[in-house]
């Protein structure tokens, strides 16, 4: 899936940190490809201040978050300055759209934005939108070919807050993903099992995959 906010993650030699902001800790991972397999190059953890019961992990004080991200990066030994971070699933709007197949990219983007307006409780101008093609939709003889498109949207203010926290920690946010999708990508790839704290690093691992070429 493409990333929110028109941030695009281009693989590069400088590396990329997957940054997972959890309820009690920040975990960062940098991956490397060795002989065709993925391995953990750097891994670090920093504990976060305790939150009140029922509070979201993204309710941490922003200065404390930035300090923890910087601490986790330092603990990992990574020198990467680029980062992929995640939005919690409950802060995202997702919707499957069915649109005409074969549209040029520019027309598809315009149509997705027009369709998105009816699914959001806030103005499109206040949102960061992204989408990916899921595949052809059901078709019948004589029907116009259609394609299913997954729409993902988030409040721009929430996305920018993540970007600013990363900057305060000395990192450049180049990818914003969903924590659920990052975990799904990690589980599918499976390399996180080689890390001692395996299950706890799934989101960070999935985010770090944005920095690698296919």
């Amino acid at each position: 899936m493409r990333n929110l906010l028109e941030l695009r993650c281009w693989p590069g030699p400088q590396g990329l940190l997957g940054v997972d902001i959890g309820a009690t800790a920040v975990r960062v991972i940098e991956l490397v490809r060795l002989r065709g397999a993925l391995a953990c190059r750097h891994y670090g953890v920093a504990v976060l201040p305790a939150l009140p019961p029922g509070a979201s992990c993204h309710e941490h004080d922003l200065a404390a978050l930035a300090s923890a991200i910087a601490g986790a990066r330092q603990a990992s030994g990574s020198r990467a300055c680029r980062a992929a971070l995640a939005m919690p699933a409950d802060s995202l709007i997702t919707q499957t759209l069915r649109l005409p197949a074969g549209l040029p990219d520019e027309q598809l983007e315009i149509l997705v934005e027009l369709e998105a307006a009816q699914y959001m409780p806030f103005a499109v101008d206040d949102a960061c939108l992204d989408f990916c093609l899921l595949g052809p939709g059901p078709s019948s003889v004589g029907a116009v070919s259609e394609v299913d498109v997954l729409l993902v949207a988030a409040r721009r203010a929430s996305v920018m807050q993540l970007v600013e926290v990363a900057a305060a920690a000395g990192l450049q946010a180049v990818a914003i993903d969903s924590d659920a999708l990052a975990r799904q990508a990690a589980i599918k790839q499976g390399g996180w099992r080689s890390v001692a704290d395996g299950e706890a690093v799934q989101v960070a691992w999935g985010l770090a995959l944005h920095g690698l070429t296919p």
Side-chain angles (χ1 to χ4, degrees), residues 114-140:
L114 291 173
E115 290 286 324
Q118 63 183 303
Y119 298 106
M120 292 189 296
F122 46 86
V124 174
D125 290 344
D126 295 331
C128 292
L129 304 177
D130 210 343
F131 65 92
C132 69
L133 299 180
L134 298 177
S139 59
S140 58

Side-chain angles (χ1 to χ4, degrees), residues 61-134:
D61 175 76
L62 299 185
L65 275 183
S67 177
I69 292 171
R73 178 195 178 208
Q74 183 176 15
S76 76
S78 174
R79 300 181 64 183
C81 295
R82 300 154 68 246
L85 301 96
M87 298 282 291
D90 59 7
S91 68
L92 297 172
I93 296 169
T94 59
Q95 181 68 40
T96 301
L97 309 175
R98 187 156 295 159
L99 303 174
L103 292 176
D105 288 347
E106 290 184 1
Q107 290 186 25
L108 183 60
E109 290 181 9
I110 292 171
L111 191 53
V112 167
E113 185 170 340
L114 291 173
E115 290 286 324
Q118 63 183 303
Y119 298 106
M120 292 189 296
F122 46 86
V124 174
D125 290 344
D126 295 331
C128 292
L129 304 177
D130 210 343
F131 65 92
C132 69
L133 299 180
L134 298 177

Side-chain angles (χ1 to χ4, degrees), residues 1-2 20 25 34 49 80 84 86 97-98 130 132 146 151 191:
M1 192 174 85
R2 297 189 303 171
D20 173 28
L34 296 174
L97 309 175
R98 187 156 295 159
D130 210 343
C132 69
E146 294 179 321
L151 166 71

Side-chain angles (χ1 to χ4, degrees), residues 41-80:
R41 171 184 277 170
H42 296 287
Y43 171 44
V45 182
V47 176
L48 285 166
L51 286 171
S56 164
C57 62
H58 286 263
E59 293 180 40
H60 284 290
D61 175 76
L62 299 185
L65 275 183
S67 177
I69 292 171
R73 178 195 178 208
Q74 183 176 15
S76 76
S78 174
R79 300 181 64 183

Side-chain angles (χ1 to χ4, degrees), residues 15-18 28-43 76 78 186 189-196 201 204-213:
L16 178 136
L17 279 180
V28 304
I29 276 186
E30 182 183 349
L31 301 178
V32 64
R33 193 181 297 278
L34 296 174
R35 293 182 290 277
L38 294 185
C40 177
R41 171 184 277 170
H42 296 287
Y43 171 44
S76 76
S78 174
Q189 192 277 325
W192 52 272
R193 295 185 181 89
S194 63
V195 181
V201 305
W205 187 284
L207 291 168
L209 292 173
H210 283 288
L212 300 170
T213 54

